[in-house]
Amino acid sequence: MQSVGLVGTYPPTKCGIATFTASLARALRAARPDVRIGVVRCVADSDPTPPAPEVVARLVPGSPVSRKEAADALRAFDVAVVQHEFGIYGGPDGAEAVDLVRALDMPVVVVLHTVLRRPSPGEREIVEELAALADRLVVQSGAARTRLLEQYDVDARKVRTIPHGARLNLAETDGARDGRPLILTWGLLGRDKGIEFGIEALARLADLDPAPRYLVVGQTHPKVLEAVGEEYRESLRERAVQLGVADQVEFDGAYHGSDALLRRVREADVVLLPYRSREQVVSGVLVEAIASGKPVVATRFPHAEELLGAGSGLLVPHEDAEAIAHALRRLLTEPGLSARAAAVARRQAEELAWESVGARYLALADELRRRPRRARPLRFPAPSFEHVLRLSDRVGIFEHAKGTVPRREHGYCTDDVARALVAVLREPERSPRLERLASTYLGFLERAQLPDGRFRNRFSVEGRWLDEVGPDDSTGRALWAAGTAAVAATGAAQRARALALLTAGAGFRSSWPRANAFAVLGAVEVLRAGGEGTRAARTLLEEAASRLGRVSSDPDWPWPEPRLTYANAVLAEARIAAGAELGDERLLREGLELLEWLVGIESRGGHFSFTPVGGWAPGEPRPGFDQQPIEAGAMVDACARAFDVTGEQRWAERALGAAAWFLGANDVGVPLLDAESGGCRDGLTPDGVNENEGAESTLALVTALQQARRLQAAARRARSRSAVSTSAAPTHLSAAPYVR
């Protein structure tokens, strides 16, 4: 016996998805009576309806507890079939659908009920993440498949087309008719339905005898009702009165069960779909009309063009009452045309019948059930800058926080301001608030720079510098930020100011490998972009790259320092970046080998276990805590750099693994991300986390999430391309270039 878990709205909820879920459940049982069906019902928290016997869990928007219960319930089934519509899940744009699918370890089929041509960034991301997570994607028309593959980064090999499904409704008309032709439109009412054009078309048929009737069946859409009440329905009544056809137009605003509705459809002579939408790739009403063997008049939305092109109806331009009237006249007065259209509809009905659709879903489930269960890639949320904004003022970013509250008394430091500037400028779409932050941080660095190019580090809330010159690491970080801003700042004036900072610091010399590593990263940014400042950047790069420390010949400890300390991976990343930019194969090889060694040292049990505060040297017991977010952030950056330079997928996977440390893939299994504040806890302890959320930790989280999402997006694009191309990927070319 096979078992299938369905996710979606479900009766008594009154919506198209609920009807679909219930119909699919019946179709699966009809196709295979011994199949076990369970339903996870998407429902508002306030819904008091007792669950039907087949409902195994409720999924409440915004409730992690209900999401976990839903995922646990679905694990009892062989395959999960998840209905996706943006409005039925919680989170921004319904993002909690992704969280649910990611929690499932059985094969998952996602049914895309809507494929938008112009999605928002959030909507696009959700569809692409669902596509990456799902084992199969089902669309309900050829038009939907074409749009999905053209507009979204999805793997074409996963996509299947299975029609919407409808009950065969081919019996003769029930009951007595008054002899007047009946034109029927049904569905939830809203302005996108274009009913006013149907009424205007009816007025143009005044010469027909007997005069046709126009029946509009359906409740007003709940969201429309909430916003404007019955305003649209009343405007239609008024329009019918104005045109003199009020006695020919009937509005039935009741909610009809499927049997009652099908009786209404059987009574119709023509089904009219005068929709305004030019993008609708799936119409359940259209499918039901054809499954009833009825001729259809429809505007040229994609699904209508696809189905009616076979001859089961007539297509008309959008918002054109004259064309609608002409098409209706032909079907009502040319018996041969009407009969041919009905005959074609009856032939199409067999493929659209729920019996056929249910069998196809079961065949798909059979195909997937034979596949091994697999772990699903982690979903990385978009980085939030809310806590960064909370920590920042008109001067810079405060170094420390008590919980989420900035500790102003500890003031600012150049180290964190530099980190913050890099994080902000890596963001591909910066809001005005982020642009203001970038300007603030750049101004802080300008005030911090000394005449010899070095930087002070600590600045009090009273407006005093607390050191004559900062440590070399601070200068290295400031030069990294300056190089980043010289390329990525929005305005030309800001880029010039940042380049001036780097140029002034090009004579920086340090004996500390880590300080030089940061300086290397800034110089490489400028050199990769070309243009002004390349001479100073090359001078800085060559000098700093020569001072990254000496790699040991001891295979057990090749590290260029006697102990691991902090931000360790930057020492490998700088070699990789410098080697790639200078064409120095030895330096590049050393960087990759050091990073390989460090990944091995800092991995345990399938996840990263980073060198904690206090460091570690050979011969010492390996400490476990307190692990710091800066280590994870540096590892993400280094592995991402290795992927960009080599194109080897293993480095992207390691970068994602390091980023997953923030989300709970760590020694304690506890996330450091504070989803409510957008910040990051300051450390991983044996008992959980340090609840403070300072600047260094939060910025490490932000940059890790930026890299993770960049790499996952690149992987989706690569999978999409591989489905239509046999071209080999380049070996030494980034598949996911750094965001500019």
Side-chain angles (χ1 to χ4, degrees), residues 574-585 587-588 641 645:
R575 276 180 159 81
I576 295 168
E581 185 61 38
L582 296 172
D584 187 328
E585 291 293 333
L587 202 57
L588 174 59
R641 179 83 64 171
V645 169

Side-chain angles (χ1 to χ4, degrees), residues 23 26-28 30-31 165-168 349-362:
S23 298
R26 287 192 296 269
L28 294 173
R167 283 176 61 182
L168 286 179
E350 296 298 330
E351 182 182 352
L352 302 176
W354 271 118
E355 291 80 0
S356 173
V357 169
R360 292 177 67 174
Y361 272 98
L362 280 177

Side-chain angles (χ1 to χ4, degrees), residues 369-390:
R369 189 173 57 160
R370 293 189 289 269
R371 295 162 58 93
R373 295 188 174 190
R374 62 184 178 85
R376 300 190 182 279
L378 194 61
R379 174 180 179 256
F380 293 93
S384 169
F385 281 87
E386 288 306 309
H387 192 52
V388 174
L389 287 158
R390 187 179 299 114

Side-chain angles (χ1 to χ4, degrees), residues 106-259:
M106 77 283 284
V108 175
V109 177
V110 172
V111 183
L112 298 177
H113 287 268
T114 298
V115 182
L116 299 173
R117 183 181 296 278
R118 298 179 181 86
S120 69
E123 290 166 339
R124 177 182 299 281
E125 180 180 334
I126 286 167
V127 170
E128 292 178 349
E129 290 194 0
L130 287 172
L133 291 168
D135 297 273
R136 292 292 183 270
L137 292 171
V138 170
V139 292
Q140 298 173 332
S141 69
R145 176 186 173 86
T146 298
R147 179 177 296 176
L148 181 67
L149 297 180
E150 287 180 347
Q151 301 292 331
Y152 298 81
D153 287 324
V154 301
D155 184 346
R157 294 169 296 185
K158 289 186 177 184
V159 183
R160 300 290 185 272
T161 303
I162 302 178
H164 179 282
R167 283 176 61 182
L168 286 179
N169 187 34
L170 302 176
E172 295 299 323
T173 301
D174 297 335
R177 289 279 300 275
D178 62 3
R180 299 168 66 191
L182 178 62
I183 303 164
L184 174 65
T185 297
W186 78 93
L188 291 174
L189 206 60
R191 292 192 179 276
D192 61 322
K193 289 295 193 288
I195 306 298
E196 59 270 33
F197 298 102
I199 294 173
E200 291 176 16
L202 185 69
R204 289 172 163 82
L205 302 177
D207 60 307
L208 294 185
D209 186 17
R213 297 165 52 218
Y214 184 24
L215 175 60
V216 180
V217 176
Q219 296 177 313
T220 297
H221 194 289
K223 291 185 178 179
V224 175
L225 194 63
E226 182 181 353
V228 296
E230 293 287 3
E231 178 183 291
Y232 181 55
R233 187 186 301 271
E234 292 307 316
S235 73
L236 295 175
R237 293 187 194 277
E238 292 175 9
R239 188 62 177 148
V241 170
Q242 292 169 0
L243 294 173
V245 292
D247 60 334
Q248 295 174 247
V249 180
E250 177 185 348
F251 291 93
D252 180 352
Y255 180 82
H256 292 279
S258 59
D259 289 339

